[in-house]
Structure formats: structure tokens, C-alpha cells
């Protein structure tokens, strides 16, 4: 699999808020009774509001009904004698779990939450959408925590610590990261702990006490890992040479791709395929972290990583090839690496260097690593690889003549045929191997 774009993928919609941005005046006219009053605001599921249950997408305006007014959920029938359709009731256990996890009960509509927080409805909507929350119309589904989150973000903007655009980015990056984390914990971790159910209990019955026990521990662990990662990222920024280097930095970028993954998807059962992908991602993540690289993202059959220096990136690539080769259940792997200026944004990497690494991966032989000429030059500049075997032989002879130890090169580079690469012109790939 090769990648044209390395932009961050969006997360799925979460359960709380938000409605389309509306003028602040509309908020007041819809709800003059204050944060706790119902006033003229539409109730959840009211056809007039066009809102359905939380997480069911943007509100859809109700079509005019010439024969009769649209019935509320409590109406028994319309003028045609047909029973009015009631919105589906939410699962009581789901509501209990929500209350347990959020630590507060539903109290506000989006308009009420925005007004209580002292934030315009337009800005509140932008914050909520950036965090990945679905439109809920004017359902009363928000809590004191939602109000506090709005106040904090808006307060950072008012204090001049963040621009409004930066606050939106903070909300988006946090939402996307935690959405994926939450999905993983529910799909994998929680499912594994509740399977099979305890004797005489269904998985549904086990879920509530299990979440009650795990929630405080996982919350503390999340904060710990975040602080550790923040300290590491801050350290890298401080060590940058200048302000420009903090955003546009010279990095080694590598893609590792499972060969023939599409064919595997047609042959393997879904559960087997999921286990293979998880094993690949786990192995790659462990190797990248252990050797001092950074895993940027996983794309199923492909991982994207980067490193501050060429030697680290080369070691990671060769270790990935070697480790996967020992596992007979794994398909062959191929890796492409490029070195150059990379733009970092919201935890992702962009630029020509990233695209080149992706292209090199697509043309790499099985169980092999291809690098670009800039990466090869960086290895020779740092004396990690000779420019050629002839140069290595000359260096060894000169060292022997002087009674010194010959240079110990870790890697070997073999030039390959130049070839055109779509969107990047002609490139000169090099085959990277270990030097025996």
C-alpha cells in the first residue's frame, strides 16, 4: 500500500454535542428562560427541531405537514388516524454508563451550555465539532463538564495564550487522538475482559461494574502517559536550532508495508486478519519506540515512523525486516526511507520527503529497504556507511598501514537504477543492507 497524502484521518463522531452554528440572538429567542428552563426550545426527538437521538448526524428540518401540525412524542395520533412515530428510547444501561463515565447528569441543551459558559453558539459549535462530537440539535444532553470545557478553551483565547484557530486545533487533535483510544479500549481491551461473561451474567451486566473499577485507573494512566509524551516532545522542540526548525525539520521518514496484504484480505477470516494487523502494529510500535524513533501512525498494513537521524531510521527498518522474517505467519515486508525537510503538524508529518518515502516503499523489493540519495549521503556523512565498497577497502588499507583499527561501518549501500516516480520526477534509490 502506498500513500499519496499523509494527512491525519478524522475520528468517528462521539456522543455529545453539537448543532449547526446559529446566531447568538437565535439562542436567546429559542430559550429565554435561562439555562435550566425549557422555554420554547424543542425537546429531544421533537420533529420541529429536526433532531434525533444523539450521534445520529446533523439535524434535518421537518417537512411541512399541511393536514396537521407535526405531533410530539406524546401525541397518540395525527389527523389521518395513524399513530405518531416516537423516537427510539435510549438504553437505560447506556445512560447509566454515561453518567458513571462523565460523572454528571445531563442538564443543558447546546444553547444553554454555550450561554452558561459565556461563549457564543458559533464558537461553541466549532469547538464541539473539532472535538468530534455529533450534532444533537437542542437535546438536553450536556453536563457541567461540557460547560467547563468551553470556559477553559475560551479562557485560553481571551487570555491571549492561544489564538482562536490554535484552540480549534487543540480541540481537534485531542478529539481525534482520544476517539481512537476510546474505540480501541472498547473494541479490544474491554471486550477481552468481558469474554466469556461471568457465570450467570451477560456481558452487558458485567460491563458496568468493570468500567466502575477500571475508570479511575485508566484515567490516571492516561494522564501519566500524556505528561511523559509532552515532556519528550517539548524536549525535542527546545533542542531545535531555530524557530523555523521547530516546524520544518530535517528528519528521516520511513514507511513499512506488508506485501500482498490485499490478497490476504480475500483469503483470511476477519478475526485472523485482525490478529495479523494487531501483531504487525504491535511489533512495529515496540521496535520503533525501543530504538528511539517515533511512530506517527498505523494504516492497517502500513506504518509510518520518523527519526531524528539516518542511523536510527536505518536500524529500525532493518530490524523490522529481520523480525518479520522470523514469523512464518507474517507476509514479507518492504520499507522505504527518505531524508529531508518535513513539516510537522498536529502529530503528523507532511511534505515531499514523506511522499518520496511512500513512493520508495511501493517500488521496494520484498524483504528489502530502499532509501533516497539524501538518506544515503547522510549515512556516509556520519560514517555509518561507505560511499562504495572500493572506498571501504581503501579506508581499511590506510588504517592497517597506520596500525589503526579500520572503520567499522554498520550499513552498506548499493545504488539501483534511476527511475521515474509519479509526481516526483526521476529518483535514484539505494538498497540498504547491513554490512557484514
Amino acid at each position: 500500500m502506498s500513500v499519496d497524502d499523509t494527512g491525519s484521518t478524522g475520528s468517528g463522531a462521539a456522543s455529545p454535542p453539537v448543532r449547526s452554528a446559529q446566531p447568538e440572538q437565535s439562542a436567546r429567542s429559542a430559550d429565554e428562560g435561562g439555562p435550566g428552563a425549557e422555554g420554547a426550545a424543542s425537546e429531544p426527538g421533537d420533529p420541529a427541531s429536526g433532531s434525533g437521538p444523539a450521534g445520529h448526524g446533523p439535524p434535518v428540518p421537518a417537512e411541512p405537514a399541511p393536514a396537521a401540525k407535526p405531533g410530539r412524542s406524546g401525541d397518540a395520533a395525527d389527523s389521518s388516524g395513524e399513530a405518531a412515530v416516537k423516537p427510539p428510547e435510549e438504553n437505560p444501561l447506556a445512560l447509566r454508563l454515561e453518567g458513571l463515565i462523565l460523572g454528571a447528569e445531563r442538564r443543558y441543551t447546546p444553547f444553554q451550555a454555550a450561554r452558561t459558559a459565556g461563549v457564543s453558539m458559533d464558537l461553541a459549535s466549532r469547538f464541539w465539532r473539532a472535538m468530534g462530537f455529533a450534532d444533537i440539535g437542542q437535546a438536553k444532553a450536556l453536563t457541567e463538564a461540557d460547560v467547563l470545557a468551553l470556559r477553559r478553551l475560551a479562557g485560553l483565547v481571551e487570555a491571549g495564550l492561544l489564538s482562536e484557530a490554535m484552540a480549534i486545533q487543540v480541540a481537534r487533535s485531542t478529539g481525534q487522538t482520544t476517539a481512537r483510544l476510546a474505540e480501541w479500549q472498547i473494541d479490544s481491551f474491554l471486550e477481552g475482559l468481558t469474554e466469556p461473561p461471568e457465570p450467570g451474567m451477560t456481558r452487558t451486566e458485567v460491563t458496568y461494574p468493570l468500567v466502575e473499577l477500571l475508570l479511575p485507573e485508566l484515567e490516571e494512566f492516561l494522564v501519566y502517559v500524556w505528561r511523559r509524551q509532552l515532556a519528550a516532545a517539548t524536549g525535542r522542540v527546545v533542542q531545535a536550532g531555530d524557530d523555523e526548525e521547530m516546524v520544518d525539520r530535517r528528519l528521516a521518514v520511513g514507511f513499512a508495508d506488508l506485501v500482498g496484504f490485499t490478497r490476504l484480505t480475500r483469503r483470511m477470516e476477519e478475526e485472523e486478519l485482525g490478529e495479523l494487523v494487531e501483531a504487525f502494529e504491535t511489533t512495529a510500535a515496540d521496535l520503533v519506540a525501543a530504538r528511539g524513533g517515533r511512530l506517527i501512525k498505523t494504516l492497517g498494513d502500513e506504518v509510518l515512523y520518523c527519526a531524528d537521524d539516518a542511523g536510527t531510521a536505518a536500524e529500525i527498518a532493518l530490524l523490522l525486516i529481520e523480525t518479520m522474517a522470523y514469523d512464518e505467519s507474517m507476509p514479507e515486508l518492504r520499507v522505504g526511507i527518505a531524508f529531508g525537510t518535513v513539516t510537522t503538524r498536529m502529530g503528523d508529518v507532511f511534505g515531499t520527503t514523506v511522499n518520496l518515502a511512500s513512493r520508495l516503499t511501493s517500488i521496494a523489493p520484498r524483504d528489502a529497504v530502499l532509501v533516497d540519495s539524501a538518506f544515503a549521503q547522510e549515512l556516509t556523512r556520519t560514517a555509518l556507511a561507505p560511499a562504495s565498497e572500493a572506498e571501504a577497502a581503501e579506508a581499511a588499507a590506510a588504517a592497517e598501514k597506520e596500525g589503526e583499527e579500520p572503520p567499522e561501518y554498520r550499513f552498506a549501500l548499493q545504488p539501483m537504477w534511476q527511475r521515474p516516480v509519479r509526481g516526483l520526477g526521476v529518483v535514484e534509490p539505494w538498497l540498504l543492507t547491513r554490512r557484514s
Side-chain angles (χ1 to χ4, degrees):
M1 168 181 176
S2 95
V3 180
D4 292 342
D5 245 344
T6 54
S8 298
T9 56
S11 61
S15 56
V18 66
R19 185 191 173 117
S20 301
Q22 298 186 18
E24 198 172 3
Q25 185 177 355
S26 300
R28 297 192 183 97
S29 61
D31 187 8
E32 289 292 347
E38 295 297 322
S42 301
E43 298 175 0
D46 187 347
S49 72
S51 66
H56 283 212
V60 179
E63 295 183 1
K69 294 181 180 180
R72 292 184 181 269
S73 59
D75 296 341
D78 60 18
S79 60
S80 64
E82 296 180 359
V85 179
K86 294 183 179 181
E89 294 183 1
E90 295 194 58
N91 187 300
L93 178 60
L95 291 175
R96 286 183 63 213
L97 283 169
E98 179 189 281
L100 170 66
I101 294 170
L102 298 181
E105 62 181 14
R106 297 182 178 187
R107 180 176 177 184
Y108 301 108
T109 67
F111 281 147
Q112 292 170 343
R115 187 162 62 182
T116 303
V119 177
S120 71
M121 189 61 207
D122 176 69
L123 184 58
S125 297
R126 293 167 65 195
F127 281 152
W128 281 324
R129 287 200 181 102
M131 286 183 276
F133 298 146
D135 288 352
I136 59 168
Q138 284 307 306
K140 184 177 287 188
L142 306 185
T143 70
E144 289 289 350
D146 297 296
V147 173
L148 182 59
L150 284 178
R151 282 178 181 156
R152 282 175 170 160
L153 275 177
L156 291 173
V157 175
E158 291 173 3
L161 296 173
L162 293 177
S163 66
E164 189 173 301
M166 182 60 68
I168 296 292
Q169 289 180 8
V170 168
R172 180 171 291 112
S173 62
T174 306
Q176 290 177 357
T177 303
T178 53
R180 184 176 182 186
L181 174 63
E183 290 289 345
W184 185 92
Q185 289 176 332
I186 292 300
D187 292 344
S188 301
F189 183 58
L190 190 59
E191 182 178 349
L193 284 177
T194 57
E195 186 71 44
E198 294 182 7
M201 296 183 69
T202 65
R203 185 191 301 178
T204 301
E205 292 171 327
V206 173
T207 300
Y208 187 92
L210 187 61
V211 171
E212 192 172 26
L213 290 172
L214 288 174
L215 183 62
E217 302 300 326
L218 292 178
E219 184 176 15
E220 290 291 332
F221 184 69
L222 174 62
V223 173
Y224 156 74
V225 175
W226 171 73
R227 284 181 177 273
R228 270 289 180 184
Q229 294 287 3
L230 185 63
T234 305
R236 288 193 294 270
V237 169
V238 170
Q239 292 173 15
D242 50 46
D243 290 345
E244 289 186 2
E245 194 179 346
M246 291 183 183
V247 179
D248 297 323
R249 307 168 57 193
R250 287 180 63 78
L251 297 173
V253 178
F255 278 93
D257 177 47
L258 293 175
V259 179
F261 184 76
T262 303
R263 291 193 299 274
L264 282 176
T265 60
R266 294 194 289 266
R267 296 203 319 260
M268 300 179 70
E269 297 291 336
E270 288 186 5
E271 185 174 348
E272 292 178 313
L273 194 63
E275 290 175 353
L276 184 144
V277 169
E278 184 176 355
F280 169 57
E281 291 183 351
T282 300
T283 301
D286 288 348
L287 285 176
V288 170
R291 295 293 168 171
R294 296 189 297 284
L295 188 69
I296 302 300
K297 59 186 173 185
T298 59
L299 305 168
D301 62 330
E302 191 172 45
V303 296
L304 168 61
Y305 72 93
C306 68
D308 293 329
D309 61 272
T312 298
E315 184 66 28
I316 290 171
L318 292 171
L319 275 174
L320 283 170
I321 296 287
E322 294 159 0
T323 303
M324 296 297 176
Y326 282 113
D327 190 342
E328 294 182 356
S329 66
M330 282 288 177
E332 293 99 336
L333 192 70
R334 55 188 178 184
V335 182
I337 316 177
F339 187 83
T341 302
V342 174
T343 297
T344 59
R345 185 179 179 85
M346 291 178 64
D348 211 339
V349 289
F350 305 89
T352 303
T353 303
V354 180
N355 293 334
L356 178 55
S358 175
R359 295 287 188 267
L360 287 170
T361 306
S362 66
I363 64 175
R366 296 167 182 260
D367 286 336
V369 181
L370 282 188
V371 304
D372 72 332
S373 56
F375 188 90
Q377 290 171 9
E378 187 66 13
L379 285 180
T380 57
R381 185 186 70 82
T382 53
L384 292 173
S388 66
E389 287 304 312
E391 180 184 289
E394 290 177 5
E400 185 178 357
K401 186 177 180 181
E402 296 293 332
E404 299 175 353
E405 289 290 329
E408 294 184 0
Y409 298 112
R410 292 166 54 192
F411 309 108
L413 293 164
Q414 178 185 341
M416 309 292 283
W417 291 103
Q418 292 185 355
R419 58 188 299 172
V421 174
R422 180 166 55 90
L424 297 171
V426 177
V427 299
E428 181 184 6
W430 294 70
L431 182 67
L432 173 72
T433 57
R434 289 197 188 280
R435 183 172 172 79
S436 57

